[in-house]
Amino acid sequence: MDREMERALRERALGFDADEIVEEYAFQDGDAVLTKRKVTRKKVLPDMSAFKILLEEKPQIEHLSDAELEAHKMRLLNLLQEKENINGKSK
């Protein structure tokens, strides 16, 4: 699962605020002109289906073999090293 999708699922699982915008237009001299705009902030409640998907996607550490744990460790160390190299170059 890519990061964008995981972020969207996490947002949906935890709930979020969203703006609902309703606009009304009228025609004046052949052009559409905005006459009324209403913005309503709504609370989107947490979604348990999204939460369940997130839980299923995460590997449970107690179920991983030693080889899988070692591979996971090396991947995380490489990511950390890359991040440190990028931060070191930007300073």
Side-chain angles (χ1 to χ4, degrees):
M1 179 182 314
D2 69 348
R3 290 179 189 215
E4 181 76 17
M5 185 180 293
E6 187 174 346
R7 184 198 58 75
L9 263 174
R10 186 178 305 115
E11 183 178 30
R12 184 76 183 169
L14 298 175
F16 58 95
D17 293 327
D19 290 336
E20 180 181 78
I21 301 171
V22 177
E23 297 177 335
E24 291 182 18
Y25 291 87
F27 285 99
Q28 293 178 352
D29 299 326
D31 292 328
V33 178
L34 180 65
T35 58
K36 189 178 195 181
R37 185 170 200 253
K38 180 180 177 184
V39 179
T40 306
R41 180 161 287 268
K42 293 192 172 194
K43 177 85 174 156
V44 177
L45 298 176
D47 183 346
M48 297 317 292
S49 296
F51 191 74
K52 183 179 176 184
I53 291 169
L54 282 175
L55 288 177
E56 290 172 352
E57 286 293 320
K58 295 291 182 188
Q60 300 298 320
I61 197 159
E62 62 270 7
H63 296 254
L64 297 178
S65 68
D66 288 344
E68 290 171 324
L69 284 171
E70 186 64 30
H72 208 51
K73 174 184 160 188
M74 294 308 297
R75 184 183 65 81
L76 292 173
L77 287 172
N78 287 335
L79 285 172
L80 183 61
Q81 183 66 40
E82 288 173 14
K83 192 148 195 102
E84 287 176 352
N85 288 342
I86 291 170
N87 288 340
K89 290 178 184 176
S90 64
K91 288 183 181 181

